[in-house]
Amino acid sequence: MPPKGKGGDKGGAAKGKGKGKPADEKEEKGGKVKGAQFVNVRHILCEKHAKKEEALEKLKGGAKFDEVAKEFSEDKARAGGALGWKKRGDLDPTFEEKAFELEASTTANPKYAEVKTGFGYHLLMVEGRK
């Protein structure tokens, strides 16, 4: 398997090496949790940019993430967009990078990100990490 990092701090931090804190201890100041190996992720997948923009407007208007996913997502994640717990290496690399950068939030008050992959346009949020 080729290395996934583009340099930077991904190698040591991703493996939970040395800073004296347990791997499961959260460090949320920068919006990231160092050492997380799993994320509980939801997404909204749209083939067309315009449809993704419609979903984004609903989220900005205060709609719940899972309700917007049911209405707009074009894949099996229509069930509220839930993909479940995913470990590093399970997801599209571009999607995964964004997912592991996001801090955990709730569907009622989501902190989400946008990403484009070979599958289409995604809006994604993370409900938990470990």
Side-chain angles (χ1 to χ4, degrees):
M1 180 181 263
K4 294 191 187 270
K6 295 178 185 171
D9 66 338
K10 288 186 180 181
K15 293 184 177 158
K17 289 185 182 173
K19 300 284 181 190
K21 291 189 176 189
D24 62 349
E25 186 172 327
K26 293 184 177 187
E27 296 179 14
E28 300 232 8
K29 289 182 183 167
K32 296 183 183 181
V33 178
K34 306 261 182 189
Q37 294 299 306
F38 295 87
V39 289
N40 187 3
V41 66
R42 289 182 182 261
H43 81 145
I44 300 166
L45 172 64
C46 301
E47 188 177 313
K48 305 273 187 213
H49 183 266
K51 189 169 183 181
K52 185 266 304 176
E53 289 296 313
E54 283 183 61
L56 187 57
E57 286 306 311
K58 289 256 187 175
L59 290 173
K60 288 179 180 177
K64 289 184 172 185
F65 193 94
D66 55 336
E67 291 171 3
V68 176
K70 286 176 190 172
E71 183 179 348
F72 288 91
S73 194
E74 298 173 347
D75 73 347
K76 68 177 183 171
R78 285 182 181 274
L83 296 177
W85 286 98
K86 300 294 181 186
K87 68 178 181 180
R88 287 191 188 271
D90 280 355
L91 301 164
D92 175 273
T94 308
F95 185 99
E96 181 173 282
E97 183 179 346
K98 286 285 185 191
F100 279 91
E101 286 175 0
L102 278 172
E103 62 183 288
S105 62
T106 64
T107 58
N109 189 21
K111 294 181 181 178
Y112 51 86
E114 300 178 51
V115 67
K116 183 176 189 310
T117 69
F119 299 101
Y121 298 91
H122 304 263
L123 297 171
L124 64 125
M125 68 161 289
V126 171
E127 288 188 287
R129 47 177 72 249
K130 57 185 176 180

